[in-house]
């Protein structure tokens, strides 16, 4: 939000300096981002042309002698402006001056052999307007030698503040002045708007077919206007805040938008066919807007239409067909109320950003709908003349103010500051609230321009930002005599541990959007209505993510598109299964692309690394689960995973028959096509919140088991089993043969061949045996080996290979 200092002082009677105003704005929550004090225009001075003669070597140039008013001899200037003449007064720039309109710093130079010691400037060269047909021509009484910026009131500082979305009342200069006055920095002025008596009824009627999208509409016809340029002071204010003056009628709507936070629209009445209708757009309906672009509309959008079709996209931008130009003689002034969510959604869908949309999607003052038309009517009559009709108001049922029950003790409870009752109530009153009651709990009527106020905490905020948050005294942290107990929750500990474990494995952490396109969500089990956003910030960010993998795959592909094809990324964050609070999960996920293996990627003296695959993803998943405290020795791996993985190159990690801890695998080609990604890519997801909590520690510490003094022994076994038997099943069977002596089992070979028989394979395992009580004899080993063989045969049908 930008405004000039003089504009602010139209509504704030104050002797405060610019520095004091800027400091107070930030103190009351309207953070000042930038102040442009117009220092760039200070070097330009008012100068008088004494003589103007033809250039000896150029038909379109003249050689001027210019009095700059500094008491020194006149300077020579070469000028090409057709209006340059002796006796005229204009704006002069000496050598060394920066000219903003042409981005040039002047120096003494020769033009066609004649030296030029400066420049007489046009309005475009000073960025005052687009006018450049001649140099600035000032009145005869303009004081030569003084600052041109001060004379033309161009030394008016421009203040820019950063607004939070909950402060629609501060999208106007008047609203900002109201806050400053409430803080004690002056007196609020210029708020009264007198109604205008109309000459007959407005001939154009308004019908609201979609009252849920338009709760109010005001319209007035002004006949016999002359639409020329707006006054110089108005043009300068609009230019100062970055707007381009167009015509008096259009400039008036822009001025009221910023002055009072009330967006308006003007129609050329002679271009409007019949009456106006506020309705939903028809599917596929098109409109040529004022920006010269044609937009295709949908039934979710609201429009203003006449007998010819759509004339305006409600709350966002008018149509070019009914726009005002220099030939406009009859004008319709429109002031309406539009649904904020519909306005925001329409603007994002169409990709239109306007000052009107900025205000309507935050909420405008409903009680200023009619006064807004009155203010615009006054300015139209002042600048363009004409005769107004009576106002046509449709649909508006009046504003029902919210009443908040406000215990004054809440200020102390929430802020720790004791604000006297009289001061707290005075602050609210100056801000436009109406407190009523005599006890500690008062009823506070909320003004119509504050739709953000919803409860007592909001009122505490209002009191404190005006009272001054800098009045809150700093408090030292409480010291403890002992080391603090556990601070982080189990989920926080696991999140940090998983991040460290994956980073150690050479993966880089990524932070992706929680919102993803609908087609991406559908690929990963989402797409249901409960995950769709009611008010998405962009069309391609419409759904809450059901998985972290779409964002990570997209990030890996962006890296590949920029030449970094071997990349390993991970993220530990939330995913969503529905809109309830208990349907959010904490997930650790990662992807590897190209040859981004743990042991290295790309070209090497030892040979090129192979592409990533399912076992890389499995190792990452197991590492993340181990870091989270999962009992990895008891995990079960089942073949196959969700539909987004390749069915033959994926797996599911379980703890018992029901608890799913994660999935991993190479991605299905259809999944990659849907994400516009290319492989090879593998990935995993583990559910951090599904890992069971560790068992509570005993109150009395048990003695640690001493290391066995006996020699550990390893024995190899090879079993012939059916091809369908999983190696994991055989490993678990061997472990279960004697849980006290068998400390580990690992697979070191898998063989298939005709010698084994049809549909058979050999799985070789190494069994680690650790005696605890005594040295095992040959008979002990034989007995243990027999139990292992029997257990494997019982659970897998395997027989010892001969």
């Amino acid at each position: 939000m930008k405004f000039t200092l003089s504009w602010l002082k139209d509504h704030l009677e104050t002797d405060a300096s610019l520095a004091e105003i800027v400091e107070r704005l930030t103190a009351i929550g309207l953070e000042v981002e930038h102040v442009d004090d117009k220092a760039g225009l200070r070097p330009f001075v008012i100068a008088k042309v004494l003589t103007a003669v033809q250039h000896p070597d150029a038909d379109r140039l003249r050689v001027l002698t210019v009095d700059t008013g500094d008491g020194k001899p006149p300077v020579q200037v070469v000028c090409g402006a057709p209006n340059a003449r002796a006796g005229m007064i204009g704006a002069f720039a000496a050598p060394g001056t920066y000219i903003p309109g042409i981005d040039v710093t002047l120096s003494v130079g020769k033009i066609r052999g004649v030296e030029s010691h400066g420049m007489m400037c046009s309005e475009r060269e000073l960025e005052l307007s687009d006018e450049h047909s001649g140099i600035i021509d000032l009145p005869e009484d303009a004081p030569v030698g003084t600052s041109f910026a001060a004379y033309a009131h161009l030394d008016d500082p421009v203040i820019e503040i950063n607004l939070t979305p909950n402060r629609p009342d501060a999208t106007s200069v008047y609203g900002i002045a109201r806050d400053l006055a409430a803080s004690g920095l002056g007196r609020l002025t210029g708020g009264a708007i007198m109604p205008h008596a109309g000459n007959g009824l407005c001939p154009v009627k308004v019908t609201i077919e979609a009252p849920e999208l338009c709760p109010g509409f005001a319209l007035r016809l002004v006949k016999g206007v002359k639409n020329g340029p707006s006054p110089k002071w108005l043009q300068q204010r609009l230019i100062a805040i970055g707007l381009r003056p167009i015509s008096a009628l259009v400039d008036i709507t822009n001025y009221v938008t910023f002055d009072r936070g009330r967006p308006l629209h003007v129609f050329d009445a002679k271009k409007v066919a019949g009456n106006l209708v506020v309705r939903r757009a028809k599917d596929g309906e098109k409109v040529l807007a004022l920006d010269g672009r044609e937009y295709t509309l949908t039934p979710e959008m609201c429009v203003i239409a006449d007998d010819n079709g759509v004339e305006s996209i409600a709350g966002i931008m008018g149509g070019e067909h009914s726009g005002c130009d220099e030939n406009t003689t009859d004008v319709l002034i429109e002031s309406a109320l539009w649904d904020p969510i519909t306005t925001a959604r329409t603007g994002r869908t169409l990709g239109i950003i306007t000052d009107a949309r900025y205000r309507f999607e935050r909420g405008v003052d409903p009680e200023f709908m009619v006064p807004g038309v009155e203010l615009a009517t006054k300015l139209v009559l002042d600048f363009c003349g004409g005769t107004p009709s009576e106002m046509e108001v449709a649909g508006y049922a009046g504003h029902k103010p919210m009443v908040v029950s406000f215990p004054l003790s809440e200020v102390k409870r929430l802020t720790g500051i004791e604000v006297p009752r009289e001061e707290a109530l005075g602050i609210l009153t100056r801000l436009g609230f109406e407190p009523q009651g005599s006890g500690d709990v008062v009823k506070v009527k909320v003004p119509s321009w504050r739709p953000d106020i919803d409860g007592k905490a909001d009122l505490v905020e209002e009191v404190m930002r005006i009272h001054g948050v800098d009045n809150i005294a700093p408090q030292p942290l409480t010291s403890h005599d002992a080391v603090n107990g556990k601070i982080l929750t189990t989920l926080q500990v696991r999140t940090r541990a998983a991040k460290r474990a994956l980073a150690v494995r050479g993966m880089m952490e990524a932070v992706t959007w929680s919102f993803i396109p609908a087609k991406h969500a559908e690929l990963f089990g989402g797409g249901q209505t409960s995950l769709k956003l009611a008010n998405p910030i962009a069309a391609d960010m419409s759904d809450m993510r059901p998985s972290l993998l779409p964002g990570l795959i997209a990030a890996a592909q962006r890296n590949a598109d920029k030449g970094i094809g071997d990349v390993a990324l991970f993220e530990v964050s939330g995913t969503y299964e529905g809109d309830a609070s208990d349907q959010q999960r904490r997930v650790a996920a990662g992807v590897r692309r190209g040859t981004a293996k743990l042991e290295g990627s790309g070209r090497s003296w030892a040979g090129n690394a192979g592409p990533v695959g399912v076992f890389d993803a499995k190792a990452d998943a197991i590492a993340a689960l181990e870091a989270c405290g999962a009992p990895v020795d008891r995990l079960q791996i089942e073949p196959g995973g969700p539909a987004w993985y390749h069915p033959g190159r994926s797996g599911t990690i379980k703890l018992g028959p029901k608890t799913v801890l994660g999935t991993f695998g190479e991605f299905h080609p259809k999944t990659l096509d849907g994400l516009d990604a290319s492989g090879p890519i593998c990935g995993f997801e583990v559910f951090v919140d599904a890992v069971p909590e560790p068992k509570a520690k005993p109150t009395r510490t048990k003695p640690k088991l001493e290391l066995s003094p006996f020699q550990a022994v390893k024995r190899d076994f090879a079993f012939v089993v059916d091809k369908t038997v999983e190696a994991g099943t055989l490993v678990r069977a061997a472990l279960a043969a004697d849980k006290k002596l068998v400390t580990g089992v690992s697979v070191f070979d898998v063989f298939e061949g005709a010698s084994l028989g049809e549909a058979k394979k050999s799985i070789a395992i190494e069994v680690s045996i650790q005696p605890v009580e005594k040295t095992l004899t040959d008979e002990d080993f034989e007995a243990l080996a027999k139990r292992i063989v029997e257990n494997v045969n019982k659970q897998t049908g395997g027989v010892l290979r001969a």
Side-chain angles (χ1 to χ4, degrees), residues 25 93 134-135 172 205 246 278 284-285 315 326 333 364 440 453 463 472 475 543 562 585 659 693 713 742 772:
L25 283 169
I135 57 178
S172 69
K205 303 302 179 183
I246 298 174
V278 178
E285 200 168 22
E326 67 277 3
I333 305 172
V364 298
D440 176 67
I453 301 299
V463 171
I472 300 177
Q475 299 291 333
D543 288 47
K562 295 183 179 180
R585 304 203 67 175
T659 305
E693 290 275 354
V713 181
V742 178
V772 178

Side-chain angles (χ1 to χ4, degrees), residues 179-450:
D179 266 18
L180 288 171
S183 72
L185 205 65
R187 186 173 66 89
L188 187 65
T189 61
I193 298 174
M194 300 301 296
H196 291 78
N199 184 12
L201 297 175
C202 179
V204 179
K205 303 302 179 183
V206 179
T207 301
I208 301 178
E209 294 182 354
E212 70 279 8
L213 304 183
C214 177
F217 196 105
L219 190 70
R220 167 173 277 163
L221 173 69
V222 182
K223 301 186 67 174
V225 301
K226 184 177 180 181
N227 187 25
S230 58
K232 203 69 176 178
W233 66 266
L234 178 52
Q235 292 188 37
Q236 289 173 350
R237 284 189 174 176
L238 296 180
I239 291 171
I241 63 173
L243 297 181
R244 180 173 61 90
I246 298 174
S247 67
L249 292 175
V250 176
D251 292 352
I252 287 170
T253 63
N254 287 332
Y255 177 76
V256 175
T257 296
F258 279 83
D259 187 65
R260 294 304 183 97
R262 162 35 67 181
L264 304 171
H265 185 61
V266 287
F267 299 91
D268 188 323
K270 292 185 177 179
K271 299 177 182 177
V272 174
N275 294 321
L276 295 178
V277 179
V278 178
R279 60 172 172 80
R280 291 182 179 272
K282 300 174 184 176
D283 195 18
E285 200 168 22
K286 297 183 178 181
V287 60
L288 182 63
L290 287 171
D291 60 359
R293 297 171 59 189
E294 186 177 68
Y295 296 95
T296 302
L297 309 177
T298 67
E300 289 75 30
M301 301 174 184
C302 186
V303 298
I304 304 172
D306 63 3
D307 294 347
N308 291 329
V310 177
E311 294 293 353
S312 176
I313 306 172
I316 296 176
M317 185 178 289
E320 189 174 82
H321 170 262
S322 58
C324 295
D325 54 31
E326 67 277 3
N327 300 315
T328 298
T329 57
D330 298 340
V331 61
L332 285 167
I333 305 172
E334 169 252 305
S335 174
L337 301 174
W338 306 109
D339 176 58
I341 293 178
T342 302
T343 303
R345 184 184 295 119
T346 300
R348 279 194 289 270
T349 301
L350 300 179
I352 305 176
I353 300 175
T354 62
D355 293 317
R357 171 194 159 186
Y358 180 84
R359 286 157 177 79
F360 279 124
E361 67 186 9
R362 284 161 172 77
V364 298
D365 181 2
E367 290 291 270
F368 200 76
M369 180 182 74
V370 170
V373 176
E374 298 289 5
L375 178 58
T377 301
K378 176 183 183 303
L379 296 174
V380 169
L381 297 180
D382 290 346
F383 302 161
C384 308
T387 303
S389 72
E390 293 181 11
M391 195 182 306
E392 169 84 4
V393 179
Y396 186 56
H399 172 68
K400 184 178 180 180
M402 173 181 283
V403 177
V404 177
S405 180
F406 181 41
L408 293 172
S409 58
E410 282 292 285
V411 177
K412 176 69 180 296
R413 188 181 72 85
L414 293 179
T415 68
I417 295 294
E418 188 74 54
V419 179
R421 171 191 173 87
E422 293 73 17
E423 182 182 352
L425 297 181
I427 288 172
L428 293 175
T429 301
R430 295 194 298 273
L431 287 172
F433 296 86
E434 297 180 26
Q436 300 169 351
S438 57
D440 176 67
V441 180
V442 296
K443 300 292 184 181
V444 179
K445 185 184 294 185
V446 179
S448 58
W449 58 83
R450 293 304 301 270

